[in-house]
Amino acid sequence: MKRVLIPLLAVATIGLLAWTQWLIFYGTPPDKLLFFNQKIFYYHVPNAIMVFVAVIVCGVSSLLYLKRRDGKYDDVAEAAGELAVMYGAIMLITGSIWGKAAWNVWWQWDARLTTALLLWMVMLGYVLVRKFAGPGSERLAAGLAVFGMADVPLIYFSVKIWRTLHPPTSVVPELESSMKLAFWMSFVTFTLMFVVLLVVRVSVARQHRLLRETRERGLDAGLLE
């Protein structure tokens, strides 16, 4: 079933992505203040949401792995952690482009931007620890993932707690109908893309883990050197 479903979802994602581009660049009016620069909004916000989803999936899976020591949870955590780094890089880059257009500055050390950068650095650390820390790195990385997950609500509520340059979370409900359609289609598209990438990456991680476990059993049995 998975062999058929994933390619179908990938094709659907490509089709939705093409339609979303049309909606963004031709189906929505230019912003009165930002003009063409406003189009980055349709990429920045959905990708930022996907960062939160990826970090939460990674954190919850890491907690389950620490509790049950079951490798299948670690596979999910590893895949989600890598996606969090990828989506996080897109979030920071598109956010900087937005900031230059809206505030005439590429970066500002306000609460939301700083906590978002911290989250990305934590998840980058998660990936690097898994890759280079050696035996036992899974448990150490799991602790980083849980710490990163705790940063998600701080990022979300930062604009409510502190006065920041970043706009409040009420922007989307205030969009006009054509902009709302483009935004939600972009959100659905990036969500489907996230699901496809997560499932494929989990499958790869699982095969790598099974191969390592098979090799370790072969070494223990004296069948391999």
Side-chain angles (χ1 to χ4, degrees):
M1 182 64 179
K2 186 188 298 185
R3 293 181 179 180
V4 177
L5 182 60
I6 295 304
L8 286 177
L9 286 177
V11 172
T13 301
I14 294 171
L16 284 173
L17 185 61
W19 185 32
T20 300
Q21 303 317 299
W22 186 90
L23 287 174
I24 291 172
F25 291 102
Y26 296 100
T28 58
D31 185 78
K32 295 178 181 178
L33 296 176
L34 299 178
F35 301 103
F36 189 79
N37 295 311
Q38 189 267 346
K39 305 297 183 181
I40 201 71
F41 166 82
Y42 303 104
Y43 301 94
H44 174 66
V45 178
N47 275 283
I49 295 173
M50 290 303 103
V51 174
F52 291 169
V53 173
V55 171
I56 291 172
V57 170
C58 183
V60 171
S61 300
S62 296
L63 283 173
L64 291 172
Y65 172 69
L66 290 173
K67 180 179 180 181
R68 302 181 182 179
R69 292 294 193 271
D70 190 332
K72 67 182 181 182
Y73 297 113
D74 188 50
D75 297 336
V76 177
E78 180 180 5
E82 292 177 357
L83 289 179
V85 173
M86 183 191 76
Y87 278 101
I90 297 173
M91 174 187 69
L92 293 172
I93 292 170
T94 55
S96 295
I97 296 172
W98 173 276
K100 180 61 176 176
W103 313 316
N104 198 33
V105 60
W106 290 103
W107 183 264
Q108 184 73 29
W109 293 100
D110 78 345
R112 173 161 283 190
L113 273 64
T114 303
T115 51
L117 177 61
L118 174 63
L119 177 63
W120 184 76
M121 293 177 67
V122 168
M123 298 313 299
L124 180 61
Y126 171 90
V127 172
L128 293 176
V129 165
R130 291 195 65 102
K131 188 172 182 63
F132 298 111
S137 61
E138 296 86 356
R139 293 188 294 275
L140 178 59
L144 282 173
V146 174
F147 176 74
M149 185 172 60
D151 190 31
V152 170
L154 182 60
I155 297 173
Y156 181 80
F157 289 108
S158 60
V159 292
K160 299 180 183 295
I161 299 173
W162 297 286
R163 180 179 299 175
T164 70
L165 282 175
H166 200 283
T169 54
S170 60
V171 171
V172 174
E174 296 174 356
L175 294 174
E176 62 178 78
S177 58
S178 61
M179 291 182 171
K180 255 183 201 179
L181 177 60
F183 170 79
W184 286 115
M185 287 309 305
S186 182
F187 172 74
V188 170
T189 299
F190 282 109
T191 301
L192 277 178
M193 186 184 299
F194 173 81
V195 171
V196 171
L197 292 174
L198 181 66
V199 172
V200 171
R201 187 62 187 89
V202 168
S203 179
V204 172
R206 190 152 294 165
Q207 294 303 316
H208 285 175
R209 176 175 57 83
L210 293 175
L211 182 61
R212 289 196 305 270
E213 292 175 353
T214 301
R215 182 176 182 277
E216 289 171 2
R217 286 194 296 269
L219 290 171
D220 292 340
L223 299 176
L224 299 173
E225 295 182 0

